[in-house]
Amino acid sequence: MRQQRVRILKTNSRFISASSWWTGEWSECSRSCNGGLRTREVLCKRRISAVEEKVLDDSACSSTRPSFTEPCSNHSCPPEWLALDWSECTPSCGPGYRHRVVLCKSGESGDTLPDSKCPKNGRPTSRVRCNLQRCPPPVWVTGPWGECSARCGLGQEMRSVQCLAHTGQPSNECLEHQRPAAMQQCKSKCDASLPCKDVSTVAYCPLVLRFKFCNRPYFRQMCCKTCQGH
């Protein structure tokens, strides 16, 4: 029985070893260029059986601890494109564009370089289409009414009528049937001290008399002198 126990102890002693450092696989480099670091796991272990190891405190390993970091990718980075943030969409409605600044940067110092130093095919786009919302439709815009053409009685007054886009620019897209009147009848208060005369801007007074329109108030006011006595 004692001999069998000795044989078991001898058998187990073949698998028990002194503590030693165990190292894992290196990680990926933290940078692809301009110097980075990669890391690995370093443990102090002791084999206690054919299939089992025990992790010990680092002080249990007498030899120098292997490094768990090392530099990598020490070569300089090539020049590369740097795209800044996009601008707001311009104009604020309808089809427009967003813009951004694209710079060629030195991979080593970060200084701005001429565009020719960076790869031509890889340049990011600096403009993209955008459309925030539909623009309001053009509208008819009227000016103030002008003075009445008659100094006494019935006449005409006029105003400007324009179709304008939301930008204030002239447009031809307003609906014609919604166009406001540009001219309307007006009436001026008569002053008894004013002489009876034809309105100077009217050239049809002889025709008014000829076609016997003097009995109509409007024409009688516009052609007062011509219609006098008729």
Side-chain angles (χ1 to χ4, degrees):
M1 181 70 177
R2 186 179 177 195
Q3 289 179 347
Q4 184 178 7
R5 184 178 179 185
V6 170
R7 282 199 302 270
I8 293 174
L9 289 174
K10 286 183 178 180
T11 300
N12 290 338
S13 66
R14 289 183 302 173
F15 299 107
I16 299 173
S17 63
S19 58
S20 62
W21 293 109
W22 172 90
T23 57
E25 297 291 329
W26 286 110
S27 68
E28 294 290 330
C29 192
S30 61
R31 300 189 63 180
S32 59
C33 54
N34 273 6
L37 284 176
R38 62 178 186 172
T39 61
R40 65 180 177 179
E41 191 176 20
V42 178
L43 300 173
C44 180
K45 290 184 177 183
R46 174 183 293 167
R47 182 177 293 277
I48 57 176
S49 71
V51 295
E52 187 178 2
E53 289 180 325
K54 184 178 181 180
V55 177
L56 307 175
D57 187 79
D58 287 358
S59 59
C61 288
S62 57
S63 60
T64 303
R65 188 177 190 270
S67 173
F68 66 94
T69 63
E70 72 173 9
C72 52
S73 300
N74 292 321
H75 59 282
S76 297
C77 293
E80 59 184 357
W81 294 108
L82 174 66
L84 304 185
D85 292 338
W86 288 106
S87 69
E88 295 294 325
C89 188
T90 305
S92 59
C93 66
Y97 287 95
R98 293 183 188 271
H99 297 84
R100 66 179 176 181
V101 176
V102 177
L103 302 173
C104 179
K105 289 287 189 177
S106 167
E108 187 171 359
S109 63
D111 294 337
T112 302
L113 304 175
D115 286 0
S116 58
K117 298 293 184 182
C118 282
K120 189 174 182 179
N121 293 337
R123 190 181 195 280
T125 181
S126 59
R127 187 179 76 163
V128 292
R129 284 189 171 275
C130 55
N131 195 332
L132 296 180
Q133 58 186 345
R134 287 178 62 93
C135 291
V139 294
W140 291 109
V141 178
T142 58
W145 288 108
E147 291 186 7
C148 191
S149 60
R151 296 174 62 189
C152 172
L154 297 175
Q156 291 180 329
E157 59 184 2
M158 303 183 69
R159 65 180 177 180
S160 63
V161 177
Q162 287 183 293
C163 176
L164 298 180
H166 72 284
T167 58
Q169 298 298 313
S171 172
N172 58 0
E173 296 182 4
C174 293
L175 298 176
E176 193 61 32
H177 72 274
Q178 295 179 349
R179 181 187 180 97
M183 182 173 63
Q184 70 178 8
Q185 193 177 66
C186 57
K187 186 176 182 180
S188 298
K189 187 176 181 180
C190 294
D191 187 346
S193 63
L194 292 175
C196 179
K197 63 178 183 178
D198 296 342
V199 177
S200 60
T201 57
V202 177
Y204 54 74
C205 285
L207 295 176
V208 171
L209 181 61
R210 180 180 173 185
F211 291 106
K212 299 180 180 180
F213 288 161
C214 287
N215 61 335
R216 300 184 183 183
Y218 171 75
F219 291 113
R220 191 168 191 83
Q221 294 294 337
M222 298 297 286
C223 304
C224 180
K225 188 176 181 180
T226 301
C227 292
Q228 200 170 26
H230 296 279

